[in-house]
Amino acid sequence: MDNLPRVEIPKDKEKIKQLIAALEQQLQKDTNEKDKEIHRKALEDLKASLNKKTTCKNFCSYRVVI
């Protein structure tokens, strides 16, 4: 099991889309590999939650305060 932070996935689709956009921009600026790994995983989880239409209580695997 990895020890990456967890992202709290909002229930609001628009908020999820905003977080996805912010993380995509942040990944372009990240220089630290650990930060990139955290942001990539958070982005992956947010996109998956948007596609699966799951709620936070069913799908949170990372928690990152943005």
Side-chain angles (χ1 to χ4, degrees), residues 4-5 33-43 64:
L4 293 177
E33 283 304 315
K34 186 66 174 181
D35 290 345
K36 287 180 185 181
E37 181 183 0
I38 291 168
H39 293 145
R40 269 191 230 109
K41 183 61 180 160
L43 183 59
V64 175

Side-chain angles (χ1 to χ4, degrees), residues 5-58:
R6 300 176 64 117
V7 67
E8 188 171 326
I9 299 177
K11 293 179 182 179
D12 179 33
K13 284 185 182 183
E14 288 306 312
K15 182 65 176 171
I16 294 172
K17 290 176 184 178
Q18 289 173 350
L19 290 172
I20 288 170
L23 282 169
E24 287 173 339
Q25 287 184 352
Q26 186 58 45
L27 275 168
Q28 295 175 1
K29 298 176 185 178
D30 282 338
T31 56
N32 180 299
E33 283 304 315
K34 186 66 174 181
D35 290 345
K36 287 180 185 181
E37 181 183 0
I38 291 168
H39 293 145
R40 269 191 230 109
K41 183 61 180 160
L43 183 59
E44 179 183 304
D45 287 352
L46 286 164
K47 285 182 176 181
S49 73
L50 190 61
N51 292 335
K52 291 183 179 185
K53 299 177 185 170
T54 59
T55 63
C56 185
K57 70 178 187 175
N58 293 331

